[in-house]
């Protein structure tokens, strides 16, 4: 399916560095957002390395063409595992990077089938369809687990003091646990991939109205970032928006 996509990232109003990274690879139908963590330069290095490694893995495996050897969801999961190994190798080479890690959310729009989705951590994928905004990923966070268990509301999680505790990451731990899924896409759908610096500042309703009113995908990314900064911009903010067009 054809699509138009754009991405933007901003350090926000509170942080000197931007530890978020993103990729829009229109040729392969690959969209990525990563939110790095770790002291020193670790966070920046982790998210940049992960995005580059996932992109490289999918290029080598022929994703987006007829030569792909595996299903898109399997390729995306393998790509995240490859990125995880690259982060561990980078830490082994440079001890100053010890403890670095990153979230990742990725979408592979491969041909006319459903979109493959993978995520680790609290970067999110939303889909806007017929004026309804739906969150398609489940945060790998302590508060996210409380929401899933019915012990906390989504709005309560957004302002909870432990909201930043991530229970899964790329890097950091010996093993990575990517969550992969497929989701149907239709012409007219808007997909939003974002870091928690966006969702910590804006409610789902606010995100929905910006996506509904913006003229095109690049403007949508800029307007989302402006709105998050207007609310305080306490963290780095990244948004990738794709609009599905005709088959
Ligand atoms: Ca963040």
């Amino acid at each position: 399916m054809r699509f138009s996509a754009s991405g933007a990232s901003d350090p926000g109003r509170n942080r000197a560095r931007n530890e978020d990274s993103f990729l829009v690879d229109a040729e392969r139908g690959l969209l990525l957002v990563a939110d790095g963590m770790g002291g020193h330069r670790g966070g920046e290095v982790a998210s940049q390395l992960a995005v580059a490694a996932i992109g490289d893995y999918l290029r080598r495996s022929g994703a987006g063409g007829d030569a792909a050897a595996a299903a898109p969801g399997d390729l995306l999961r393998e790509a995240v595992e490859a990125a995880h190994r690259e982060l561990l190798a980078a830490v082994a080479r440079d001890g100053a990077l010890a403890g670095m890690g990153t979230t990742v959310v990725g979408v592979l729009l491969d041909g006319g089938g459903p979109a493959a989705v993978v995520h680790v951590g609290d970067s999110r994928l939303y889909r806007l369809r017929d004026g309804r905004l739906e969150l398609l990923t489940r945060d790998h966070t302590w508060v996210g687990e409380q929401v899933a268990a019915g012990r906390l509301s989504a709005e309560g999680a957004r302002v909870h003091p432990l909201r930043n505790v991530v229970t899964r990451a790329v890097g950091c731990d010996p093993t990575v646990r990517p969550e992969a899924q497929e989701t149907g896409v239709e012409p007219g759908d808007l997909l939003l991939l974002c870091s928690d610096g966006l969702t910590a500042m804006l409610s789902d309703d606010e995100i929905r109205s910006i996506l509904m009113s913006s003229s095109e995908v690049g403007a949508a990314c800029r307007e989302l970032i402006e709105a998050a900064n207007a609310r305080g911009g306490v963290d780095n903010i990244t948004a990738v928006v794709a609009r599905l067009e005709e088959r």
Side-chain angles (χ1 to χ4, degrees):
M1 188 176 299
R2 282 168 45 77
F3 66 97
S4 56
S6 186
S9 188
D10 188 89
R13 297 190 146 179
N14 200 35
R15 304 256 167 109
R17 295 177 182 278
N18 191 348
E19 301 187 324
D20 288 358
S21 298
F22 71 92
L23 177 75
V24 174
D25 181 342
E27 193 186 335
R28 270 164 202 85
L30 176 64
L31 311 170
L32 293 173
V33 167
D35 175 354
M37 60 201 94
H40 192 48
R41 290 173 49 247
E44 276 169 276
V45 172
S47 68
Q48 288 168 12
L49 258 184
V51 161
I54 292 168
D56 285 349
Y57 187 93
L58 292 170
R59 259 188 297 283
R60 286 200 306 274
S61 63
D66 297 333
D74 292 335
L75 283 178
L76 259 185
R77 189 171 42 233
E78 289 165 15
V80 170
E81 289 164 354
H84 179 71
R85 290 191 295 273
E86 290 223 9
L87 262 66
L88 296 186
V91 169
R93 286 192 303 271
D94 180 357
L97 298 173
M100 74 170 177
T102 185
T103 72
V104 71
V105 58
V107 173
L108 191 56
L109 294 160
D110 194 20
V117 180
V118 71
H119 81 289
V120 180
D122 64 355
S123 294
R124 290 180 172 178
L125 172 66
Y126 288 90
R127 180 181 61 204
L128 180 73
R129 176 182 290 171
D130 299 331
R132 203 172 137 256
L133 186 72
E134 192 178 353
L135 174 61
L136 299 181
T137 50
R138 184 179 60 101
D139 290 353
H140 299 143
T141 55
W142 183 83
V143 291
E145 289 167 6
Q146 305 310 304
V147 172
R151 289 192 285 266
L152 191 65
S153 70
E155 195 48 35
R158 206 165 71 82
V159 296
H160 197 282
L162 297 179
R163 63 186 176 274
N164 292 325
V165 178
V166 173
T167 51
R168 300 190 199 185
V170 182
C172 299
D173 304 325
T175 57
V176 65
R177 291 177 293 150
E179 182 169 343
Q181 58 172 313
E182 285 188 345
T183 188
V185 284
E186 296 175 0
D189 284 355
L190 274 188
L191 300 178
L192 166 67
L193 295 80
C194 61
S195 63
D196 70 331
L198 184 78
T199 48
M201 295 290 104
L202 302 177
S203 70
D204 286 6
D205 265 352
E206 291 168 319
I207 291 172
R208 174 184 162 278
S209 59
I210 292 169
L211 289 175
M212 295 277 289
S213 64
S214 57
S215 53
E216 47 87 32
V217 291
C221 294
R222 289 192 299 276
E223 288 162 18
L224 286 167
I225 287 172
E226 276 168 26
N229 272 328
R231 277 298 160 71
V234 300
D235 195 1
N236 306 147
I237 310 153
T238 301
V240 167
V241 175
R243 181 187 298 280
L244 283 299
E245 293 162 1
E246 79 278 16
R247 283 178 199 283

